[in-house]
């Protein structure tokens, strides 16, 4: 708790490393992850730093590894991930790694090039095979129509274009038609036909047929649909025009023999070459697969090694060289409690490098604000992340995270209070906690799942607290449990013996419980709410009153705690003026108004009961609070007689409340004026002291002209004093005072969201039960046995989707707002910056949230 209450002490250190030991020392520091280096070369271009060549070599190795990873994923080969954390390789090992990656890359490129060439040849042969088959069908159809035409009278329409009779029709000299055959993408066929018709003016004849089997593109590997076409034309000019159109539409033309025998002979040759290519392709793919499987076993380790080398050289580029070029100098932030571990890591690095000169770590004095470093583990890390999302704590400021471990799930549970829903949420979180290693090793890319998994401990605790508040509300899936027996007596007349009180109450369709009644056992229900309220018609009125007052009570107590925490900040930073000018008036203002309201609420619960007091005369809190500020106290002897609930109910109430209001009102000008006036008085005293000292210094200067630096010092001090602006301080204090006074009112009202969301959650749960699940329970006999599982499925799905996910997210966001706005702003400035140490864990490909920070 001590380390969580405030951030760790961090100091600025200067590090001296010998050039031959620098690599190993930085490597050891990266393993422990406790040092944040500062860049001592901010004005030096990244390409002009000492180790830029080594960084480029690492970039090149990463590029080759990404290429191999892409090929492995393309073949869907699993990459072995043992979870090992290899040490950073020595600089001399970079040459071996580069040679290995170069060999694998060249081999893969060669295999890919050969495979692409073989696939291209295979595609061409496959397309040629389909062309020979389809054109054979075209020519067979032509012969069939020619024979049919020779058996009957021939007309101009019936003369076939390809027949000899058609070519000699009209006594003209016989003409031979030329043709080209090829393959084109199926989606380009309509545009291809239109272009042929328009460019050739209808003087060509096109036949096409689809290839039923999709073909593989040798470059992209995608499946494409193509069609075979054959175009008949007459003359060389049309031939050239047709070829240009085919070239424009990226159609592939193939040679097609004119005779059937030649086509058959070519088809046989094509089939033989396809079989040979299949054999060669299979062997090529097997070789490629073996190379990739061997690479997949080590690629994760290779990635980690290269990333570590690159990170080390990036860090070394932040160092400065001394004049001898033999020593590297750096500045770094280090946790004070871990200086011994850092020294040990430096010793290990020096020993690994074989250097005889030890590394030196010196603490430095600086006025710069150190970074904020909070040690966390798997449990506290989720809550610390919620606080850091609002703002990183100022160095050594009180950290809200340890208190949020309890208050965050508790406030969430107040709004989400249902034992059934809490059990589901708790079991889900517990499952992720138990299976965290296997689930984390899966490394899912789903952002929603990663968010749930990262907050598994938070979800588990929210579910656990929801079980508790659900028991307090006596609410489990909108139903109540009668564990200890109801404390209410049913004063309902039924003929005969109707059994116990609970049975009588259940038989009553409507029953109104009167809190002022004496029909109860004089003993409260042992734990939580009495189950008799479940079927009371005035249940909502009672629950609203209880939850509303509970929300105000919890809210005021949390705000009071936040103001008290500000005292620890003032004491730690030595701002004692803030204690007298801010903390004391703030605590008085909050306590004398809002804490007094909480005291009245609790006293009303304890003091007024139907046995000893008339509950009808219980004080009306709202009316009494208004009268308190209006200084209006009704007299019981006045005419007409005021209601007894608006009268004073304890001795000295008028004097006490008047004193509280007056003191609270005095606190406003106290916060507004005291601090600016005191600061102004201090500023004047400093100026007076400086003016006296400067007179003495000028006298010394007149006696000794050589002393010049005193005068310069005086000028600098004067400039610092002139920086104090009373107007700026006063305006800032005005804003701070108005914000606090109005914030106490608005923040108290804001805590009523605990009541509102709790009511909404309970009502939605009850509506879902009555509108869905109750349908199956209301049917008797065998049909009811069938309907229960039928309606259970939609009820369970809606419960998870609406009440757990949507309502859970809503309650989570409202809880987050209550912590950020209502609680943290009482003491937390959040103006710091995170301690980001040089750590290999941040660059390693490890599951998020599995390691301790």
């Amino acid at each position: 708790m001590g380390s969580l209450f405030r951030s760790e002490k961090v100091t600025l250190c200067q590090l001296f490393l010998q050039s031959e030991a620098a690599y190993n020392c930085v490597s050891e520091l990266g393993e422990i992850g406790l040092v944040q280096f500062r860049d001592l070369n901010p004005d030096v271009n990244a390409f002009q730093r000492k180790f830029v060549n080594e960084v480029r070599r690492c970039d090149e190795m990463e590029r080759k590894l990404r290429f191999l990873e892409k090929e492995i994923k393309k073949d869907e080969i699993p990459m072995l991930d043992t979870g090992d954390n290899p040490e950073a390789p020595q600089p001399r090992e970079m040459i071996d790694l580069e040679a290995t990656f170069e060999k694998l890359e060249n081999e893969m490129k060669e295999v890919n090039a050969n495979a692409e060439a073989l696939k291209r040849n295979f595609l061409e042969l496959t397309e040629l095979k389909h062309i020979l088959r389809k054109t054979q069908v075209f020519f067979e159809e032509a012969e069939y129509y020619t024979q049919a035409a020779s058996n009957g009278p021939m007309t101009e329409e019936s003369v076939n274009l390809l027949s000899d009779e058609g070519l000699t029709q009209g006594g003209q000299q016989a003409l031979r038609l030329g043709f080209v055959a090829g393959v084109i993408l199926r989606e380009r066929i309509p545009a291809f036909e239109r272009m042929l018709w328009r460019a050739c003016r209808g003087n060509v004849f096109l036949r096409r047929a689809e290839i039923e089997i999709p073909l593989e593109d040798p470059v992209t590997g995608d499946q494409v649909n193509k069609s075979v076409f054959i175009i008949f034309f007459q003359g060389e000019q049309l031939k050239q025009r047709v070829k240009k159109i085919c070239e424009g539409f990226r159609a592939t033309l193939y040679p097609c023999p004119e005779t059937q025998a030649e086509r058959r002979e070519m088809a046989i040759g094509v089939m033989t070459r396809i079989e040979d290519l299949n054999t060669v392709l299979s062997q090529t793919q097997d070789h490629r697969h073996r190379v990739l499987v061997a690479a997949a076993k080590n690629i994760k380790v290779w990635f980690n090694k290269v990333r570590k080398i690159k990170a080390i050289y990036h860090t070394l580029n932040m160092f400065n060289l001394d004049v001898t070029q033999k020593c590297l100098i750096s500045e770094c932030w280090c946790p004070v409690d871990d200086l011994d571990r850092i020294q040990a890591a430096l010793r290990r690095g020096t020993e690994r490098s074989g250097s005889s000169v030890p590394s030196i770590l010196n603490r430095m004095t600086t006025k710069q604000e150190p970074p904020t470093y909070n040690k966390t583990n798997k449990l506290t890390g989720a809550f610390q992340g919620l606080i850091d999302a609002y703002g990183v704590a100022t160095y050594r400021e009180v950290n809200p995270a340890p208190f949020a471990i309890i208050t965050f799930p508790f406030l969430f549970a107040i709004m989400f209070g249902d034992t059934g829903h809490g059990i589901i949420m708790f079991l889900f979180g517990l499952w992720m906690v138990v299976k965290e290693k296997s689930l984390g090793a899966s490394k899912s890319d789903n952002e929603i799942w990663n968010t749930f998994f990262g907050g598994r401990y938070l979800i588990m605790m929210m579910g656990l607290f929801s079980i508790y508040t659900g028991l307090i509300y006596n609410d489990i899936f909108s139903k109540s449990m009668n564990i200890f027996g109801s404390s209410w007596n049913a004063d309902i007349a039924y003929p005969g013996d109707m059994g116990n009180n609970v049975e009588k109450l259940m038989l009553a369709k409507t029953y109104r419980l009167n809190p002022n009644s004496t029909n109860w056992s004089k003993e409260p229900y042992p734990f939580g709410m009495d189950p008799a309220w479940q079927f009371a018609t005035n249940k909502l009125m009672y629950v609203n009153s209880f939850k509303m007052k509970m929300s105000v009570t919890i809210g005021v107590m949390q705000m009071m705690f936040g103001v008290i925490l500000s005292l620890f900040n003032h004491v730690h930073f030595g701002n004692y003026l803030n204690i007298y000018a801010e903390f004391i008036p703030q605590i008085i203002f909050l306590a004398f108004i809002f804490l007094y309201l909480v005291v009245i609420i609790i006293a009303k619960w304890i003091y007024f009961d139907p046995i000893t007091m008339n509950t009808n005369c219980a004080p009306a809190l709202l009316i009494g609070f208004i009268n308190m500020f209006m200084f209006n106290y009704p007299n019981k002897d006045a005419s007409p007689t005021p209601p007894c609930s608006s009268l004073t109910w304890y001795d000295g109430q008028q004097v006490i409340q008047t004193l509280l209001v007056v003191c609270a009102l005095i606190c406003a000008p106290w916060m507004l004026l005291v601090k600016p006036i005191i600061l102004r008085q201090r500023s004047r005293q400093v100026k007076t002291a400086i003016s006296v000292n400067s007179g003495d210094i000028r006298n010394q200067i007149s006696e000794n002209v050589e002393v010049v630096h005193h005068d310069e010092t005086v000028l600098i001090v004067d400039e610092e004093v002139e920086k104090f602006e009373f107007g700026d301080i006063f305006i800032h204090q005005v804003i701070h005072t108005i914000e606090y006074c109005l914030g106490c009112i608005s923040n108290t009202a804001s805590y009523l969201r605990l009541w509102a969301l709790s009511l909404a959650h309970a009502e939605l749960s009850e509506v879902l039960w009555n509108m869905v699940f109750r349908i199956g329970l209301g049917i008797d006999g065998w049909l009811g046995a069938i309907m229960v599982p039928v309606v259970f499925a939609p009820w369970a799905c809606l419960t998870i989707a609406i009440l757990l996910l949507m309502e859970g997210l809503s309650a989570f966001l409202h809880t987050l707002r209550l912590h950020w706005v209502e609680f943290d702003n009482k003491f937390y400035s959040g103006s710091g910056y995170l301690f980001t140490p040089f750590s290999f864990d941040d660059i390693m490909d490890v599951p998020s949230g599995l390691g301790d920070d």
Side-chain angles (χ1 to χ4, degrees):
M1 183 69 175
S3 61
L4 272 178
F5 185 70
R6 295 190 191 278
S7 60
E8 297 287 327
K9 290 183 179 180
V10 178
T11 183
L12 183 64
C13 297
Q14 195 171 32
L15 183 61
F16 296 88
L17 302 175
Q18 291 298 311
S19 297
E20 62 272 14
Y23 181 92
N24 289 287
C25 289
V26 173
S27 172
E28 291 294 334
L29 293 178
E31 294 292 347
I32 61 175
L34 292 172
V35 177
Q36 177 179 335
F37 291 97
R38 299 176 61 190
D39 191 358
L40 300 183
N41 308 300
D43 300 327
V44 179
N45 190 289
F47 300 101
Q48 296 176 345
R49 303 201 177 193
K50 179 175 176 59
F51 300 98
V52 63
N53 291 328
E54 286 79 1
V55 173
R56 286 175 175 171
R57 291 167 62 188
C58 293
D59 288 336
E60 182 64 17
M61 286 191 290
E62 275 193 314
R63 183 194 63 78
K64 294 174 182 177
L65 287 175
R66 286 195 297 270
F67 168 74
L68 292 175
E69 184 182 33
K70 179 182 177 182
E71 296 297 322
I72 292 172
K73 290 181 178 180
K74 185 187 295 183
D75 282 19
E76 299 180 351
I77 299 174
M79 290 178 282
L80 180 64
D81 188 5
T82 59
D84 295 337
N85 184 12
E87 293 184 352
Q90 295 296 319
R92 58 181 176 271
E93 296 182 32
M94 284 183 64
I95 301 175
D96 298 335
L97 291 175
E98 287 176 319
T100 302
F101 301 157
E102 183 72 21
K103 178 182 177 182
L104 285 173
E105 184 189 30
N106 291 336
E107 187 173 5
M108 283 307 306
K109 286 184 176 179
E110 183 179 356
V111 170
N112 289 344
N114 293 337
E116 184 177 343
L118 290 173
K119 288 181 179 179
R120 186 177 290 108
N121 292 337
F122 181 80
L123 176 65
E124 292 174 354
L125 291 175
T126 304
E127 291 178 348
L128 180 57
K129 178 187 70 174
H130 287 288
I131 286 176
L132 294 174
R133 288 180 179 178
K134 300 298 181 182
T135 53
Q136 180 64 29
V137 174
F138 294 157
F139 285 111
E140 288 177 354
E141 290 178 356
E143 293 177 0
Y144 171 77
Y145 287 122
T146 300
Q147 293 177 0
S150 61
N151 296 332
M154 298 179 63
T155 62
E156 185 176 356
E157 291 79 6
S158 63
V159 175
N160 193 282
L161 181 64
L162 300 181
S163 63
D164 294 337
E165 290 81 357
L167 299 178
T168 58
Q169 182 70 17
Q172 298 178 359
Q173 186 179 359
L175 297 176
R176 292 186 61 82
L177 293 178
F179 67 89
V180 293
V183 176
I184 190 174
L185 290 175
R186 192 175 299 174
E187 58 267 19
R188 295 178 182 173
I189 285 291
F192 183 61
E193 290 181 347
R194 287 195 300 270
M195 181 58 71
L196 281 174
W197 176 263
R198 293 171 182 173
C200 300
R201 300 180 180 179
N203 292 319
V204 296
F205 178 69
L206 172 69
R207 291 293 302 273
R208 61 182 175 84
E210 296 180 353
I211 300 177
E212 295 80 6
I213 303 174
L215 304 178
E216 181 182 355
D217 191 316
V219 178
T220 63
D222 299 332
Q223 299 293 323
V224 294
N225 295 312
K226 293 189 175 183
S227 297
V228 173
F229 66 87
I230 182 169
I231 304 173
F232 296 92
F233 50 82
Q234 180 180 349
E236 188 67 24
Q237 186 176 3
L238 281 179
K239 178 180 179 181
Q240 297 299 326
R241 191 174 298 177
V242 167
K243 286 186 175 181
K244 288 183 179 180
I245 295 173
C246 293
E247 182 181 354
F249 279 87
R250 298 183 180 179
T252 308
L253 300 180
Y254 292 94
C256 182
E258 296 184 0
T259 63
Q260 182 176 358
E262 291 176 348
R263 288 194 294 271
R264 186 178 295 108
E265 182 180 356
M266 179 179 283
I268 295 173
V270 167
M271 293 301 297
T272 303
R273 292 177 60 188
I274 287 177
E275 292 177 0
D276 295 340
L277 271 178
N278 275 328
T279 303
V280 177
L281 269 174
S282 176
Q283 294 175 353
T284 304
Q285 291 295 336
D286 291 342
H287 176 65
R288 169 189 166 89
H289 188 77
R290 287 194 298 270
V291 173
L292 292 179
V293 167
K297 295 179 180 178
N298 301 313
I299 192 165
K300 292 292 185 181
V301 176
W302 288 339
F303 261 121
N304 291 334
K305 288 184 176 181
V306 173
R307 286 169 181 166
K308 285 187 175 183
I309 298 173
K310 184 179 179 181
I312 291 172
Y313 282 118
H314 263 303
T315 304
L316 289 175
N317 277 332
M318 299 181 183
F319 289 33
N320 266 343
L321 279 171
D322 69 341
V323 292
T324 63
Q325 302 289 316
K326 295 182 179 180
C327 180
L328 291 171
I329 306 172
S330 74
E331 294 180 2
C332 55
W333 295 106
C334 306
V336 175
D337 293 341
D338 295 313
L339 286 176
D340 292 338
R341 292 183 59 190
I342 297 172
Q343 292 279 14
L346 292 174
R347 285 194 295 270
R348 290 195 301 269
T350 304
E351 293 171 359
R352 284 180 57 190
S353 63
S355 175
S356 58
V357 181
S359 302
I360 301 174
L361 184 68
N362 291 332
R363 294 183 64 174
M364 300 173 61
T365 303
T366 179
K367 293 183 179 180
Q368 296 183 8
E369 182 178 333
T372 301
Y373 175 46
N374 293 298
K375 287 185 178 180
T376 58
N377 53 32
K378 291 181 286 188
L379 172 62
T380 60
F383 296 95
Q384 188 65 55
L386 294 178
I387 301 302
D388 291 341
Y390 173 73
V392 179
T394 306
Y395 178 67
R396 300 293 290 167
E397 184 181 26
V398 172
N399 183 19
F403 313 109
I405 295 175
I406 299 300
T407 60
F408 192 94
F410 180 63
L411 293 184
F412 172 87
I414 292 175
M415 294 181 277
F416 195 76
D418 189 291
T419 302
H421 302 156
I423 290 174
I424 296 175
M425 182 175 290
F426 172 75
L427 292 177
F428 176 62
L430 183 63
W431 172 73
M432 289 191 290
V433 169
V434 173
K435 299 289 185 179
E436 64 179 11
K437 290 187 177 180
S438 59
L439 294 175
S442 62
K443 300 173 186 176
S444 173
D445 295 330
N446 191 310
E447 293 185 5
I448 297 178
W449 163 252
N450 290 336
T451 302
F452 280 125
F453 183 70
R456 55 194 179 277
Y457 287 93
L458 178 61
I459 294 174
M460 183 181 69
M461 292 193 66
M462 290 192 302
L464 186 63
F465 277 75
S466 296
I467 295 174
Y468 168 74
T469 55
L471 293 174
I472 293 294
Y473 297 156
N474 202 352
D475 211 353
I476 175 168
F477 296 118
S478 77
K479 300 289 113 179
S480 296
M481 298 178 293
N482 185 22
I483 300 176
F484 305 103
S486 175
S487 298
W488 286 91
N489 296 320
D491 53 349
I492 307 174
Y494 287 100
D497 184 11
M498 297 303 297
N500 57 31
N501 294 328
V502 176
E503 291 178 354
K504 292 181 180 181
L505 292 172
M506 293 178 64
L507 288 174
K509 299 298 182 182
T510 60
Y511 190 77
R512 183 179 181 88
L513 297 180
N514 182 10
N516 198 29
S517 171
T518 57
N519 295 325
W520 60 295
S521 62
K522 308 302 184 293
E523 293 291 336
Y525 193 71
F527 185 81
M529 288 188 179
D530 196 297
W533 287 105
Q534 175 66 29
F535 38 83
T537 57
N538 58 334
K539 171 190 175 183
L540 193 59
M541 185 184 304
Y542 165 73
V543 172
N544 275 349
S545 175
F546 167 73
K547 291 184 178 180
M548 181 173 62
K549 294 171 184 175
M550 178 192 65
S551 301
V552 173
T553 302
I554 292 175
V556 171
M557 299 305 295
Q558 188 175 27
M559 289 192 296
M560 284 286 297
F561 181 59
V563 176
I564 293 172
L565 288 177
S566 68
L567 176 63
F568 291 90
N569 282 333
H570 298 327
V571 173
H572 180 268
F573 294 113
N575 298 327
Y576 297 104
L577 175 60
N578 290 345
I579 298 177
Y580 307 116
E582 291 184 358
F583 170 73
I584 294 178
Q586 285 178 357
I587 200 74
I588 291 175
F589 182 85
L590 187 61
F592 283 15
I593 297 179
F594 299 98
L595 186 60
Y596 176 71
L597 175 62
V598 172
V599 172
I600 292 178
I601 291 174
I602 297 175
K604 181 180 176 180
W605 281 342
I606 298 174
Y607 188 65
F608 291 90
D609 64 78
I611 299 177
T612 60
M613 297 288 294
N614 182 12
T615 56
N616 291 326
C617 290
L621 297 179
L622 182 60
I623 301 299
F625 214 55
I626 295 175
N627 291 337
M628 174 180 170
F629 279 92
M630 297 296 293
F631 301 103
N632 179 24
Y633 298 95
N635 189 352
K636 61 181 180 180
D637 298 328
S639 180
T641 303
C644 61
S645 60
S646 63
L647 300 176
T648 57
W649 53 282
Y650 67 89
D651 295 336
Q653 179 178 353
Q654 181 175 349
V655 177
I656 293 175
Q657 292 187 165
T658 302
L659 182 62
L660 292 177
V661 173
V662 171
C663 291
L665 294 177
I666 292 175
C667 290
W670 186 353
M671 286 186 284
L672 177 63
L673 300 175
V674 172
K675 184 176 180 179
I677 291 174
I678 294 178
L679 289 176
R680 184 178 185 181
Q681 185 64 26
R682 288 180 179 178
S683 174
R684 288 179 175 178
Q685 292 175 356
V686 172
K687 287 184 178 181
T688 303
I690 290 174
S691 62
V692 172
N693 294 332
S694 63
D696 296 337
I697 292 171
R698 289 190 181 94
N699 292 332
Q700 294 177 9
I701 294 173
S702 62
E703 296 174 0
N704 188 356
V705 182
E706 294 181 358
V707 182
V708 179
H709 61 277
H710 292 294
D711 201 359
E712 295 175 355
T713 306
V714 172
L715 294 176
I716 294 173
V717 175
D718 287 341
E719 291 177 358
E720 293 178 355
V721 173
E722 289 176 359
K723 292 180 181 179
F724 176 80
E725 291 289 343
F726 177 76
D728 294 342
I729 298 296
F730 185 76
I731 292 174
H732 177 270
Q733 200 65 20
V734 169
I735 296 173
H736 181 71
T737 302
I738 295 175
E739 180 184 10
Y740 180 80
C741 294
L742 296 182
C744 287
I745 302 172
S746 63
N747 293 347
T748 303
S750 180
Y751 275 96
L752 292 176
R753 69 185 68 237
L754 298 174
W755 155 55
L757 267 77
S758 175
L759 173 65
H761 187 84
E763 291 302 310
L764 277 174
S765 180
E766 187 172 354
V767 167
L768 202 59
W769 179 280
N770 293 332
M771 299 291 290
V772 181
F773 199 50
R774 193 174 180 179
I775 297 175
L777 297 177
I779 301 176
D780 297 330
W782 61 270
L783 183 59
I786 297 175
M787 286 299 297
V788 167
V790 171
V791 299
F792 174 79
W795 174 78
C797 293
L798 291 174
T799 297
I800 294 174
I802 298 177
L803 296 178
L804 286 176
L805 293 179
M806 294 177 61
E807 279 288 308
L809 178 61
S810 176
F812 177 86
L813 294 177
H814 283 283
T815 307
L816 198 61
R817 181 242 154 79
L818 289 176
H819 279 78
W820 283 358
V821 179
E822 278 69 34
F823 176 59
D824 289 351
N825 72 347
K826 298 294 184 295
F827 66 97
Y828 187 68
S829 63
S831 57
Y833 63 100
L834 273 178
F835 176 72
T836 53
F838 169 65
S839 174
F840 288 145
D841 290 340
D842 296 334
I843 61 174
M844 294 277 286
D845 190 14
V846 296
S848 60
L850 287 182
D852 294 350
D853 295 336

